[in-house]
Amino acid sequence: SPTTKQWYQRRVHGDARYVAYFDRADIDGWEIRKGMADLCAMDMVPEPVIVASALRACRRINDYSLTTRILEIIKIKCGDKEAEFWPYIMQELKPTMDELGILSIEEMGYNQPELALPNPYEIH
C-alpha cells in the first residue's frame, strides 16, 4: 500500500496532468467533456485549480453552457460534504469566474428547481 508521501505525489502529479490537459490550446468541447467525465468517475472532488482550468477551456471554445454544467457536477460531487466543500471551491474559483464573466449557479438561480413540487413528507 502506498505511503502518505507517495499518495500525495501521485495526487499532485495527477492535478498537474489535468491542468495541462485543459490548458491545451487545441482542446475542443468533446475533450473537455471527456476530461470532466474522467474526473467525475474518480472517488474525489476535483481541486479548484483543475476546475478553473476546465472553465478557462470552456471560455476559449466559447461554450458558456458547459461552464454551468461543470459547476453543477462539481457541486453534486461534493455529496454530503457540500456545506463544507462547496463554499471553499467557490471561494477559490471566484477570481477565475470574475475574470471570465461566469456567473455562479446561485447567481443564475439554478440552485433552486424552477418547477419542483413541495416534498410531501415535509408538508406537515
Side-chain angles (χ1 to χ4, degrees):
S1 114
T3 65
T4 303
K5 183 178 179 183
Q6 290 170 328
W7 177 87
Y8 179 76
Q9 288 173 338
R10 281 190 215 153
R11 176 69 192 256
V12 169
H13 291 301
D15 289 357
R17 187 182 52 197
Y18 276 104
V19 169
Y21 177 81
F22 288 121
D23 283 350
R24 291 183 10 244
D26 64 338
I27 197 166
D28 62 19
W30 185 90
E31 290 173 317
I32 295 170
R33 287 172 177 83
K34 172 70 171 127
M36 287 307 300
D38 290 348
L39 281 168
C40 289
M42 295 180 194
D43 188 23
M44 65 171 203
V45 179
E47 288 292 326
V49 68
I50 298 173
V51 179
S53 183
L55 294 176
R56 282 191 205 91
C58 292
R59 291 305 279 166
R60 278 197 310 277
I61 64 166
N62 201 23
D63 193 342
Y64 188 89
S65 63
L66 186 53
T67 64
T68 304
R69 301 302 160 244
I70 288 172
L71 292 173
E72 286 176 331
I73 195 62
I74 297 303
K75 187 172 184 178
I76 291 168
K77 283 289 290 180
C78 292
D80 61 351
K81 300 282 189 185
E82 181 181 323
E84 182 182 345
F85 291 172
W86 186 244
Y88 166 73
I89 292 170
M90 289 309 295
Q91 170 191 316
E92 296 297 309
L93 291 178
K94 186 76 172 133
T96 302
M97 292 171 64
D98 289 345
E99 170 194 336
L100 300 174
I102 298 171
L103 297 175
S104 71
I105 295 170
E106 294 77 16
E107 290 170 330
M108 289 185 277
Y110 286 180
N111 58 326
Q112 297 295 321
E114 186 177 356
L115 302 173
L117 297 173
N119 185 338
Y121 299 107
E122 295 177 1
I123 291 176
H124 303 289

